[in-house]
């Protein structure tokens, strides 16, 4: 009995993968060994069957190649019109991807998956069009021959002698839900070729002599059968995993291949991909940035980038690391860190004597690999034919060689001064010192020249017979050899140290660039400042111009208004929109829309893309090198994380504000409903009693009507406060300022009927020389009315309320104080909040809006309001307003 319990994480992952596979659009590939086996015919036959079942089938691209029986199967099927693209002075028909996405059929037929699109199309390859159709939810049927499979490119070239230029990544075939092999024996295919059913007669004759030889067809048929078997095996493994069928596998394998600028790296990559596919194992391609990287030409670095891209296209993971020690140590350290079980290397191409002298990386890997299997296949990773020693040495400018010779001359002069007083060994040390100085300052080539010149100078000047190169004592030959060897060793060591120092500086610069970007992003307040920092850093680091585009609510990217961002036309904006929609890089230097002026990378957040970063180089793009490409991707990732954090913070602030507004609205409705209901109840009761009691005495009737009037006034103040606070909150409060005396505003407030019965309690003390103040008289009157009403309400009956004012410097202060219970400790700021009420009174509480309105009016006048307590008791409110220079009054003539 099997007691093994399934891993919950693996079970969840399998369920999610199965759900994704069920929901996504289906891809079916009609697979064949060569042209003419009947792939298009079989695809059209199935399309007719699907149409008969009522499925919406559209032909995107079908090439009949003049075959009448194939053309007959087009009858009844809708054909999507092609678009015309200008190329080399003529217009060529090409598949219209946008029309297909707009039409959105259930199933679309796309013949010749490996086809290269005409320049100017959205994608460089038709298989990229197919991927976009699948992502849009449209099922696709397509055709392909085995020679177009990327991982088999070198194998097909070896068999047929033809290098196939149009290739399809293996990852596309792996995505296929069904692969149907369309097979035809080679003899029958040759008969069809002879009958003109594959190519026209002239083309058929040429094909029989080259590609369509029987041996080639047999080998291609075997490759097609094997690949189809691998596809079926992968489907079987998925089925067993989904059904929980356990079986002993040779599982857990991870493959690693090392790449470099050599052309043989392509063969290693494809060979590793085939091994990984057969084992069903993941694989990685590794590039080690050693000191040799500094000597690579632009073409070498381009090939490194192409090889890494090829590995990614074939479904592998890529990694670029800095070399720290020997090559085999770096490879094995990385392999053990990533749990690699199989290492793929190339056969050594150097002569055996060079391996014995300089060592062999392959031998070192095999000797120290321990539990890692090492597979040696054709081609050494990253190895090119060795350059001549002279060409590899002479890399310094001519000036350095002249300075090297001058240094040897100075060393000879110094040695001449001490020669008669010291031993010959001291003279040798002087020359070695000169070699060391040359090696550290001028490089390996000048140090080698200094070594040769030092040996010659020593022999000519200090070894008898003097001033000749003859040597009487052959024991000095050993001195010459050791001296020359020491010079070479010192030169090599110093050159290695210099190279490591340059690499370290490069690493430090990249690390500093990321650190600087992280610091500036962390200091940026808000998404706008963050975007500005990202654009500035990208432009500085990559010597170009940057842009960050963000979507609107409909998911359409908006043209940025940042002054540092480069302008985008409609075409560039369309490229950026495609990147945002598909979360894949596009533009300059990529396979998608390579005709764009800039490179665009998606800014990926947790829930999906949140924007697009674009980089427009001033010349050749710097990110063509692997380390710079990784740095650019790191910039994009770091910007995406910071931008997502900022957007989440802004959204959180909006949500909190909305929650506060909702809470305030509910509290306001609750408070106001009670405050409205109370006066309305009093008014209704008083008026009803007065109307329904005809014989009510006049004093009682008058008292009822007076109470109704007081409650109506209270209701009026409440509604006015609600309107005022609404205007303050919405920002629609307009000030109509005039130069007015404070006495006028205070008098107007005291004459309001709301204070008519209590105005006698207010004591006013205003200096006669107060300056004019620019203020809105109506609003300032409302402010004083609210403060006076608050003071009178919370003061003991009959106690006075004082109003004072004074001007100091550039401000004027109005003070209102009472003799009530004062303000509770800690409430000095809270009482100015909306719906805040005093906690130290037994009086009927107000609406909690009056003081909030006072604060809003004071702030609108660029002033402030504060509340304190008197030492003798009672509350003390201070309103401070700024003073200006009033206009000069015109002087009347006599």
């Amino acid at each position: 009995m099997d007691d093994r319990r399934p891993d919950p994480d693996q079970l969840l992952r399998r369920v999610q993968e199965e759900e994704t596979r069920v929901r996504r659009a289906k891809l079916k590939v009609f697979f064949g060994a060569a042209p003419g086996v009947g792939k298009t015919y079989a695809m059209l036959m199935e399309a007719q069957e699907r149409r008969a079942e009522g499925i919406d089938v559209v032909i995107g691209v079908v090439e009949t190649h003049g075959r009448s029986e194939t053309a007959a199967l087009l009858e009844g099927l809708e054909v999507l019109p092609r678009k015309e693209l200008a190329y080399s002075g003529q217009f060529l028909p090409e598949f219209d991807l946008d029309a297909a996405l707009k039409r959105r059929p259930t199933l679309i037929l796309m013949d010749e998956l490996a086809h290269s699109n005409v320049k100017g199309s959205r994608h460089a390859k038709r298989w990229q069009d197919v991927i976009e159709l699948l992502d849009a939810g449209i099922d696709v049927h397509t055709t392909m021959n085995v020679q177009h499979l990327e991982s088999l490119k070198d194998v097909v070239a070896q068999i047929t002698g033809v290098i196939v230029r149009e290739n399809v990544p293996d990852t596309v075939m792996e995505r296929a839900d069904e692969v149907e092999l369309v097979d035809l024996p080679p003899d029958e295919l040759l008969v069809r070729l002879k009958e003109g059913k594959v190519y026209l007669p002239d083309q058929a004759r040429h094909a029989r002599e080259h590609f369509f030889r029987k041996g080639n067809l047999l080998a291609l048929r075997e490759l097609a059968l094997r690949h189809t078997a691998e596809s079926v095996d992968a489907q079987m493994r998925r089925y067993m995993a989904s059904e929980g069928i356990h079986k002993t596998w040779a599982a857990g394998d991870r493959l690693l291949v090392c790449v470099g600028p050599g052309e043989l790296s392509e063969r290693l990559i494809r060979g590793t991909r085939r091994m990984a596919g057969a084992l069903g194992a993941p694989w990685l391609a590794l590039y080690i940035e050693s000191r040799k990287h500094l000597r690579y030409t632009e073409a070498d670095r381009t090939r490194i980038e192409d090889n890494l891209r090829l590995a990614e296209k074939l479904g592998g993971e890529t990694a670029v690391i800095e070399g720290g020690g020997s090559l085999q140590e770096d490879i094995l350290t990385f392999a053990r860190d990533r749990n690699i079980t199989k290492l793929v290397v190339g056969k050594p191409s150097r002569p055996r004597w060079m391996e014995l002298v300089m060592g062999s990386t392959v031998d070192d890997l095999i000797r120290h690999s321990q539990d890692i299997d090492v597979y040696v296949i054709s081609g050494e990773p990253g190895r090119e034919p060795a350059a001549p020693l002279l060409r590899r040495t002479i890399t310094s400018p001519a000036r350095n060689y002249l300075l090297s010779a001058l240094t040897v001359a100075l060393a000879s002069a110094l040695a001449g001064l001490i020669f008669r007083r010291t031993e010959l060994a001291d003279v040798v040390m002087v020359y070695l010192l000169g070699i060391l100085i040359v090696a550290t300052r001028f490089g390996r080539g000048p140090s080698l020249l200094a070594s040769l010149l030092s040996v010659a100078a020593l022999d000519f000047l200090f070894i008898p017979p003097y001033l000749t190169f003859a040597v009487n004592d052959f024991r000095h030959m050993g001195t010459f050899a050791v001296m020359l060897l020491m010079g070479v060793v010192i030169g090599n060591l110093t050159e290695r140290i210099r190279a490591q120092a340059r690499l370290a500086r490069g690493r430090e610069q990249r690390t500093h660039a990321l650190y600087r970007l992280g610091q500036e992003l962390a200091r940026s307040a808000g998404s706008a400042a963050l975007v500005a920092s990202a654009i500035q850093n990208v432009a500085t680091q990559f010597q170009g111009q940057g842009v960050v585009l963000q979507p609107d609510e409909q998911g359409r990217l908006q043209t940025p208004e940042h002054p540092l961002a480069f302008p985008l036309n409609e075409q560039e904006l369309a490229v950026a929109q495609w990147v945002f929609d598909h979360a894949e890089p596009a533009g300059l230097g990529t396979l998608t829309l390579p005709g764009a002026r800039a490179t665009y990378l998606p800014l990926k957040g947790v829930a999906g893309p949140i924007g697009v970063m674009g980089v427009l180089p001033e010349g050749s793009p710097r990110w063509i090198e692997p380390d710079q490409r990784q740095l650019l991707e790191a910039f994009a990732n770091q910007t995406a994380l910071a931008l997502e954090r900022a957007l989440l913070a802004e959204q959180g602030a909006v949500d909190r504000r909305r929650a506060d507004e909702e809470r305030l609205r509910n509290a306001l409705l609750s408070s106001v409903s009670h405050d409205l209901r109370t006066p309305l109840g009093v008014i209704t009761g008083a008026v009803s009693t007065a109307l329904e009691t005809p014989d009510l005495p006049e004093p009682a009737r008058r008292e009822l009507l007076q109470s109704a009037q007081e409650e109506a006034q209270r209701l009026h103040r409440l509604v006015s406060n609600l309107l005022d606070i609404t205007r303050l909150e919405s920002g629609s409060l307009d000030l109509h300022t005039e130069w007015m005396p404070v006495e006028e505003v205070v008098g107007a407030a005291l004459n309001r009927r709301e204070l008519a019965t209590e105005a006698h309690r207010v004591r006013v003390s205003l200096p006669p020389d107060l300056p004019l103040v620019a203020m809105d008289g109506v609003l300032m009157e409302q402010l004083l009315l609210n403060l006076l009403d608050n003071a009178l309400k919370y003061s003991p009956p009959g106690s006075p309320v004082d109003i004072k004012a004074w001007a100091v410097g550039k401000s004027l202060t109005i003070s209102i104080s009472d003799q009530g219970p004062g303000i509770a400790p800690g409430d000095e700021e809270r009482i100015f909040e909306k719906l805040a009420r005093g906690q130290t009174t037994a009086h009927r509480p107000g609406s909690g809006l009056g003081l909030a309105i006072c604060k809003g009016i004071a702030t609108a006048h660029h002033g402030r309001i504060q509340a304190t307590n008197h030492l003798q008791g009672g509350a003390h409110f201070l309103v401070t307003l700024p003073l200006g220079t009033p206009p000069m009054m015109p002087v009347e003539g006599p």
Side-chain angles (χ1 to χ4, degrees), residues 144-466:
M144 194 183 81
N145 291 321
V146 68
Q147 69 263 25
H148 296 296
L149 202 60
E150 181 69 54
S151 63
L152 298 176
K153 178 179 178 180
D154 53 343
V155 177
V156 172
Q158 185 178 4
I159 294 173
T160 64
V162 177
I163 299 177
V164 180
R165 302 297 181 185
E166 295 182 329
N167 305 110
V168 176
D170 293 56
T171 50
V172 178
M173 287 294 291
E174 290 172 357
R175 181 170 177 174
D177 298 272
E178 184 179 354
V179 177
E180 180 175 320
L181 178 65
V182 182
D183 187 35
L184 193 67
D187 291 334
E188 294 184 22
L189 180 57
L190 290 173
V191 171
R192 286 175 53 84
L193 181 66
K194 187 176 181 181
E195 294 175 350
K197 296 182 179 181
V198 179
Y199 294 125
L200 296 176
D202 292 340
Q203 295 176 329
R205 188 179 312 107
H206 182 269
R208 282 198 305 271
E209 295 173 355
H210 295 85
F211 190 85
F212 275 77
R213 290 178 295 180
K214 185 173 182 179
N216 291 349
L217 296 178
L218 287 171
L220 293 173
R221 188 187 187 196
E222 181 182 1
L223 287 177
L225 290 169
R226 284 186 175 181
H227 187 80
T228 306
E230 291 177 3
S231 175
V232 174
D233 183 66
Q235 294 177 3
M236 181 195 68
R237 289 199 299 267
R238 286 196 299 267
Y239 172 79
M240 296 179 68
S242 63
E243 296 296 325
I245 301 174
H246 300 286
K247 183 179 179 181
T248 302
W249 301 89
D253 282 330
R254 291 175 66 87
L255 281 71
L256 174 67
V257 59
C258 297
V259 301
E263 296 180 357
L264 295 177
S265 292
E266 292 187 23
R267 185 181 302 176
L268 290 174
I269 291 171
R270 293 191 176 93
T272 305
R273 170 62 186 83
R274 291 194 297 271
M275 291 177 60
L279 295 172
W283 61 286
L284 299 88
L286 172 66
Y287 172 66
I288 298 177
E289 194 176 84
S290 65
R291 61 181 183 275
K292 293 181 181 179
H293 180 79
L294 300 173
R295 300 200 302 268
Y296 286 153
T297 63
E298 190 71 21
D300 293 333
R301 297 178 182 184
T302 301
R303 282 196 296 269
I304 293 171
E305 177 68 14
D306 292 342
N307 289 334
L308 292 174
R309 293 288 186 187
L310 174 62
E312 291 177 351
K313 190 166 68 171
L314 291 176
E317 179 185 350
T318 59
V320 179
I321 65 173
E322 307 288 347
S326 65
L327 185 60
Q328 62 92 9
E329 290 177 354
D330 294 334
I331 294 174
L332 293 177
T333 299
F334 179 85
R336 294 190 177 98
D337 289 342
R338 300 298 295 270
N339 196 26
I340 299 297
T341 61
K342 300 183 186 302
L343 180 62
V344 181
V345 297
K347 291 180 181 178
S349 57
R350 294 185 300 183
R352 183 60 180 169
W353 67 267
M354 290 186 65
E355 293 184 1
L356 294 175
V357 174
M358 304 178 62
S360 170
T361 301
V362 175
D363 291 342
D364 292 340
L365 287 173
I366 295 174
R367 185 175 297 109
H368 298 95
S369 60
Q370 297 178 356
D371 54 347
I372 300 176
D373 297 334
V374 179
Y375 289 78
V376 182
I377 61 179
S378 299
E380 187 165 355
R383 180 73 60 184
E384 289 188 300
L389 179 61
L390 185 61
R391 195 184 74 183
R392 287 185 286 135
T393 302
I394 302 178
T395 57
S396 300
R399 175 175 175 272
N400 289 354
Y401 289 94
L402 294 176
L403 291 174
S404 173
L406 180 61
T407 303
V408 174
L410 293 175
S412 299
L414 180 59
L417 293 176
I418 65 173
F419 175 61
R420 300 298 180 182
R421 303 178 182 87
T422 60
E423 299 293 333
L424 183 61
D426 297 324
V427 175
V428 173
M429 294 301 296
V430 170
Y431 280 111
L432 289 177
L433 177 62
I435 295 172
L436 179 61
I437 293 174
V438 171
T440 55
R441 298 297 300 274
F442 307 127
R444 179 189 299 170
S447 69
L448 181 59
L449 176 63
S451 300
L452 295 173
L453 293 178
S454 296
V455 171
L458 178 65
D459 182 17
F460 189 78
L461 298 174
F462 303 108
I463 301 297
Y466 301 117

Side-chain angles (χ1 to χ4, degrees), residues 743-821:
E743 298 92 333
E744 181 179 336
V745 179
V746 172
L750 291 175
N751 289 328
R752 292 282 291 268
R753 61 182 180 178
E754 291 91 334
L755 302 178
T757 60
E758 300 287 345
H760 64 280
R761 295 170 53 192
V762 180
R763 299 185 303 192
V764 180
S765 177
L766 300 176
D769 58 346
L770 287 175
L772 297 179
V773 182
M775 56 184 169
D776 188 316
V778 175
L779 291 178
M780 192 56 62
E781 179 185 332
Q782 182 66 40
L783 181 148
L784 294 176
L785 177 64
N786 287 352
L787 290 177
L788 289 170
D789 180 67
N790 187 76
L792 292 169
K793 180 168 55 178
Y794 285 92
S795 298
S799 62
V801 173
D802 295 317
I803 298 181
K804 298 179 181 180
W806 60 88
V808 178
K810 296 184 178 181
S811 63
L812 181 141
T813 302
I814 302 174
S815 165
I816 298 178
S817 57
D818 59 49
Q819 297 180 8

Side-chain angles (χ1 to χ4, degrees), residues 584-607:
E584 294 291 340
L588 180 66
T590 68
L591 292 177
T592 301
L593 301 169
R597 295 189 303 128
T599 300
Y600 299 91
L601 292 88
L603 300 177
K604 298 180 181 179
V606 175

Side-chain angles (χ1 to χ4, degrees), residues 682 686 690 696-710:
V682 173
L696 187 68
E698 185 61 26
R701 183 186 300 275
R702 186 175 183 82
E703 183 179 357
L704 287 174
L705 293 177
Q706 186 175 0
S707 65
Q709 182 186 24
E710 292 175 354

